[in-house]
Amino acid sequence: MDIEQIEQTFSEVSKITGWAVDKRIALAVANIYLSRNQAFDSKAHEAAVEVIKKNEGWTSPLRSHLLHIAAAFIVMKEEDVESSLKLVNQNQKELNNAGFWKTSYTYLAALLMKKPEEAERTRGLYEEMKKHHKFLTSNEDIPYAALLGSREGLLEERAATMNMYYRDLREQGFTMGNDLQWLSQIMTFDSPAYDPRMVGRVLAIQQFFKDEKIKVRLAQYPILGFLAVTQVDGEALRAIAENTRELEKNKIFRWYKDMAFSTAVQQAMVDNIEVQDISAMAFSTSLETLMQAQQAAMMVSINAAIISTTNNSSG
């Protein structure tokens, strides 16, 4: 892990996002670039921001609290910015046609989708998830449904497996709620079929960090799923623990220690990709995308709450 690179990337991103944007969003954006092991290109990012502003209406989430997250996702794609933005809007439109209301989360899902035709399977998986967790399943689950719905396998089986993982982990002391649901969803990434070993890996990873005195908060439950699916070894887990402690001491993370853990995990995944073959790289990249989507979704919620509080105070 290169602390100087993290500091430099965060500093450059912060200059562009400005003082009005929550620093956690700047950290999330920095992590999107860092996870691809690429130097942050401020000109490319600013150009993407301008294209979004030029083409999106004032009410579009892409122009407001998703602006810099969307710009980072788009810059990371192989297509040119305008083509990528056009595809995002096509994906968004198909999600609406499939029965989803237009929200920040449908736009986030649209950023993850490779083609508009995936909208139907996204809706299908979402509805199957609701059959098991009617009140838990909400807009925040749409990005997960988009990425997992595009995976091979029966949607009914994947949703049923999510529910089994949820129940298993609940019986092992995990706290009920959205965070546990997201964890159970991620555990199906590699296969829609139930695998008791997946539960064992999650429990072992949780215990490892507990022994290392690394606090895994509820919002970080999904990260345990990422680590379990990628089957990280003991050496990688030890590096994550050491890097988390190191980052927590850094001034950037002084007020956002929870993000020190997620940053350390994403850096560990970057290190693993360097020694993997092409197929494994594609697999890890998809998982990183899901991880970043989860982190971005958290930032969207935080920013929306801040905006709401500010508006209420102004009134």
Side-chain angles (χ1 to χ4, degrees):
M1 182 180 71
D2 190 336
I3 293 286
E4 290 187 4
Q5 185 183 23
I6 293 172
E7 291 177 332
Q8 181 179 349
T9 302
F10 174 71
S11 176
E12 292 176 0
V13 170
S14 295
K15 288 178 182 177
I16 291 177
T17 57
W19 62 269
V21 174
D22 190 284
K23 293 303 180 185
R24 283 166 290 191
I25 291 181
L27 273 171
V29 171
N31 276 334
I32 291 172
Y33 286 104
L34 289 166
S35 69
R36 295 297 186 272
N37 207 18
Q38 295 184 17
F40 175 67
D41 186 337
S42 59
K43 290 184 179 179
H45 186 89
E46 286 182 306
V49 166
E50 289 307 311
V51 169
I52 293 172
K53 285 182 176 180
K54 177 183 176 182
N55 290 278
E56 295 297 307
W58 286 101
T59 60
S60 170
L62 292 180
R63 192 185 173 105
S64 53
H65 45 277
L66 270 181
L67 176 61
H68 291 285
I69 289 170
F73 268 114
I74 288 174
V75 168
M76 290 293 98
K77 294 179 181 294
E78 294 180 357
E79 300 83 5
D80 64 88
V81 174
E82 291 197 358
S83 296
S84 294
L85 180 59
K86 183 178 179 181
L87 176 60
V88 170
N89 279 299
Q90 289 174 336
N91 292 341
Q92 155 69 28
K93 183 178 180 180
E94 285 306 309
L95 286 170
N96 295 155
N97 292 339
F100 289 114
W101 290 99
K102 184 182 292 187
T103 67
S104 297
Y105 295 99
T106 54
Y107 274 100
L108 193 53
L111 283 164
L112 302 178
M113 292 164 57
K114 293 182 175 64
K115 52 187 178 181
E117 290 76 14
E118 295 175 2
E120 285 299 325
R121 279 183 64 86
T122 298
R123 184 70 197 190
L125 180 56
Y126 182 84
E127 291 301 326
E128 290 298 325
M129 288 157 51
K130 283 190 72 173
K131 290 179 182 178
H132 298 283
H133 296 279
K134 181 178 180 180
F135 298 108
L136 273 183
T137 306
S138 65
N139 288 341
E140 296 175 357
D141 295 282
I142 298 174
Y144 291 91
L147 196 55
L148 293 170
S150 67
R151 308 288 292 173
E152 292 184 1
L154 294 174
L155 302 180
E156 297 87 350
E157 181 182 20
R158 188 178 297 276
T161 298
M162 291 174 182
N163 183 48
M164 286 189 280
Y165 286 149
Y166 184 96
R167 291 169 61 184
D168 286 349
L169 293 175
R170 178 68 188 98
E171 291 174 0
Q172 294 295 328
F174 279 71
T175 302
M176 296 173 62
N178 291 329
D179 303 297
L180 181 56
Q181 172 153 291
W182 293 334
L183 166 56
S184 69
Q185 291 167 0
I186 289 167
M187 291 166 70
T188 71
F189 184 90
D190 197 25
S191 171
Y194 177 81
D195 184 353
R197 294 173 298 178
M198 183 63 68
V199 176
R201 285 200 289 271
V202 169
L203 293 174
I205 293 169
Q206 181 199 40
Q207 187 60 49
F208 173 86
F209 288 122
K210 186 176 181 180
D211 293 341
E212 288 289 323
K213 303 297 188 293
I214 301 294
K215 186 176 181 180
V216 179
R217 296 170 173 81
L218 296 184
Q220 296 168 328
Y221 273 2
I223 294 177
L224 301 178
F226 298 122
L227 296 174
V229 171
T230 51
Q231 300 187 46
V232 294
D233 57 21
E235 182 179 352
L237 289 175
R238 284 190 291 274
I240 290 170
E242 292 172 5
N243 290 339
T244 297
R245 284 189 282 266
E246 186 175 355
L247 288 172
E248 286 179 343
K249 299 175 185 176
N250 190 282
K251 61 181 180 180
I252 296 175
F253 298 91
R254 187 173 301 162
W255 303 109
Y256 314 117
K257 290 189 176 182
D258 56 328
M259 293 196 70
F261 179 56
S262 59
T263 299
V265 170
Q266 291 193 65
Q267 287 300 297
M269 294 179 80
V270 171
D271 294 338
N272 283 340
I273 286 178
E274 292 176 355
V275 296
Q276 293 172 345
D277 59 28
I278 298 300
S279 60
M281 285 176 65
F283 173 79
S284 295
T285 299
S286 295
L287 262 183
E288 286 169 15
T289 301
L290 185 54
M291 183 174 182
Q292 289 154 4
Q294 188 268 341
Q295 189 175 37
M298 287 171 54
M299 295 307 104
V300 168
S301 297
I302 290 171
N303 207 52
I306 292 172
I307 292 172
S308 176
T309 300
T310 303
N311 290 341
N312 290 339
S313 297
S314 299

